[in-house]
Amino acid sequence: MKGKIVMLHSLIAEFLGTALMILFGVGVHCDEVLTKTKYHGSGHIFAITTWAFGISVTLFIFGGVCINPAMALCQAILGMIPWSNFIPYCIAEFLGALFGSLVVYVMYADHFKASEGKIDPIAIRNIFSTNPNCRNLPRNFFVETIATTVFLTAILAVATNYEKQLPIGVGLIVWAVGMGLGGTTGFAMNQARDLGPRLAFQLLPIKNKADNDWQYGLLVPGIAPFVGAVLAALFSHYFLTI
């Protein structure tokens, strides 16, 4: 019974933590893109900084949650969580991302309406999901793999050596990776972060929708982060001896 309670608590933390991360992340993209927001046109530095600080806030509240299926896979490979937790964590994270996206839409519903016919439908779609400006699927896949490998390896290194500084450390990692490696694909590095909001965009009553580009979504942010997770786990185990 105690094990079931602990597992339930962990799943709720993954759900709420991922939802809060998306609340910050998709929320800041709404601020940047939509008409009549306070921060319209604020730019990518503003957005990346908000993602970074938002993830730090999430970790301060919920502790050492994965909030990322790729991180869950990486930790399962390294024996940091049981393999039996992997699928439940992923489901909780996807549902949390979907829920967080729906909450953001309700918050910005007036701004979505005010933006109808004024904002490029592609820009509206990109509020929710990551998409490259130069579409080259093999190269996009490579970029997401490398970015995820660096991202997860750095987090594992911080968690192992500077556990008390984990929330700030992860925020700085997101900031650095987003600035340095995110310019081509928009740096998903997290299936829940991309596919949960992408599904929300599919379901929401937004007019004049652009194509949701599931081919890209399922391939690049859907699979590449898992490849990066495997590489991060191998490097962390054999080189960093985590």
Side-chain angles (χ1 to χ4, degrees):
M1 179 62 72
K2 183 178 179 181
K4 291 182 179 179
I5 293 174
V6 171
M7 183 59 172
L8 179 61
H9 183 274
S10 296
L11 293 177
I12 292 172
E14 293 292 342
F15 175 87
L16 293 177
T18 308
L20 181 58
M21 174 183 68
I22 293 299
L23 203 65
F24 282 113
V26 174
V28 74
H29 292 312
C30 287
D31 275 330
E32 202 275 327
V33 172
L34 297 178
T35 299
K36 294 186 177 181
T37 65
K38 295 290 186 180
Y39 309 125
H40 176 73
S42 51
H44 281 84
I45 292 177
F46 182 81
I48 292 170
T49 302
T50 303
W51 270 105
F53 290 176
I55 290 174
S56 290
V57 171
T58 299
L59 294 177
F60 274 124
I61 295 173
F62 295 104
V65 287
C66 293
I67 57 175
N68 182 345
M71 175 57 85
L73 175 61
C74 194
Q75 290 192 16
I77 292 171
L78 292 171
M80 300 171 73
I81 63 171
W83 275 104
S84 59
N85 287 15
F86 173 61
I87 296 299
Y89 274 27
C90 290
I91 293 172
E93 289 154 4
F94 277 115
L95 292 176
L98 176 62
F99 178 74
S101 301
L102 298 176
V103 171
V104 170
Y105 176 77
V106 173
M107 293 171 63
Y108 286 90
D110 294 332
H111 299 280
F112 276 102
K113 186 174 181 179
S115 299
E116 291 175 4
K118 299 177 182 177
I119 303 296
D120 182 357
I122 298 293
I124 299 291
R125 180 195 68 188
N126 291 352
I127 288 173
F128 294 90
S129 57
T130 63
N131 293 277
N133 287 341
C134 295
R135 186 187 178 91
N136 181 322
L137 291 180
R139 199 181 313 280
N140 301 151
F141 192 97
F142 176 77
V143 169
E144 277 293 318
T145 298
I146 294 300
T148 305
T149 302
V150 173
F151 178 55
L152 298 183
T153 301
I155 292 174
L156 291 169
V158 170
T160 302
N161 299 299
Y162 308 99
E163 183 177 357
K164 292 183 179 180
Q165 286 77 42
L166 180 64
I168 295 296
V170 173
L172 292 174
I173 293 165
V174 173
W175 203 19
V177 172
M179 293 289 193
L181 304 177
T184 57
T185 61
F187 72 107
M189 306 183 301
N190 181 339
Q191 293 87 348
R193 174 269 172 272
D194 185 280
L195 299 181
R198 195 181 293 265
L199 178 59
F201 176 75
Q202 188 82 38
L203 298 174
L204 287 167
I206 298 172
K207 293 185 178 180
N208 304 316
K209 287 183 184 179
D211 179 77
N212 212 4
D213 199 359
W214 282 104
Q215 180 191 33
Y216 177 86
L218 293 174
L219 178 63
V220 178
I223 298 176
F226 279 146
V227 179
V230 173
L231 294 175
L234 292 174
F235 183 82
S236 297
H237 179 70
Y238 289 106
F239 187 81
L240 301 180
T241 63
I242 292 175

